Amino acid sequence: MTDFEKKVLKVVCAIPLGETRSYKWVACKVGSPRSWRAVANALKKNPYPFFIPCHRVVKSSRDSGGYSLGKGLKKELINFEKRVRDVIQ
DNA sequence: ATCATGACTAATG
DNA sequence: CCATTAGCCATGA
């Protein structure tokens, strides 16, 4: 694990349940607003896809983006969490 | 040190 | 709306 990846994962963990953020947003959060490309790399290497909510990170064009376990699953997870959030609130 | 590679983005036609 | 282009940066070979 590199420091950069740690920062990225930390930020991603901070995304609320049922919410989505863009890669760029994450890049800004970690300090350098121009490293969104590297952010994608870090997520791609993510060792714990289910404990680190990397599925909450989507493309800025509101497309779902990619996922190491399949983007279809990513969409499902996002919908699922949205419903969970609705139930809770 | 250099080079290619992405789960990307924004601008343009 | 779709395709193309240039820009971007950490990482591994």
Side-chain angles (χ1 to χ4, degrees):
Chain A
M1 291 291 300
T2 64
D3 282 349
F4 182 77
E5 292 176 17
K6 285 185 193 169
K7 275 196 268 182
V8 172
L9 298 186
K10 198 165 183 177
V11 170
V12 171
C13 283
I15 302 176
L17 177 68
E19 305 258 329
T20 61
R21 298 291 185 276
S22 69
Y23 290 87
K24 196 173 187 183
W25 182 91
V26 175
C28 289
K29 272 299 187 183
V30 300
S32 90
R34 304 183 217 32
S35 23
W36 27 263
R37 204 71 180 270
V39 169
N41 275 332
L43 291 183
K44 181 181 178 182
K45 293 182 194 166
N46 173 18
Y48 311 108
F50 278 100
F51 293 94
I52 298 174
C54 48
H55 53 271
R56 294 181 195 159
V57 185
V58 298
K59 295 218 273 187
S60 60
S61 53
R62 289 163 202 149
D63 192 21
S64 54
Y67 194 45
S68 56
L69 306 180
K71 57 180 187 180
L73 176 58
K74 182 170 181 176
K75 281 188 199 168
E76 304 264 342
L77 282 172
I78 294 174
N79 280 329
F80 173 72
E81 291 189 346
K82 277 184 193 283
R83 287 200 304 276
V84 173
R85 186 193 52 184
D86 287 344
V87 169
I88 293 177
Q89 294 173 353

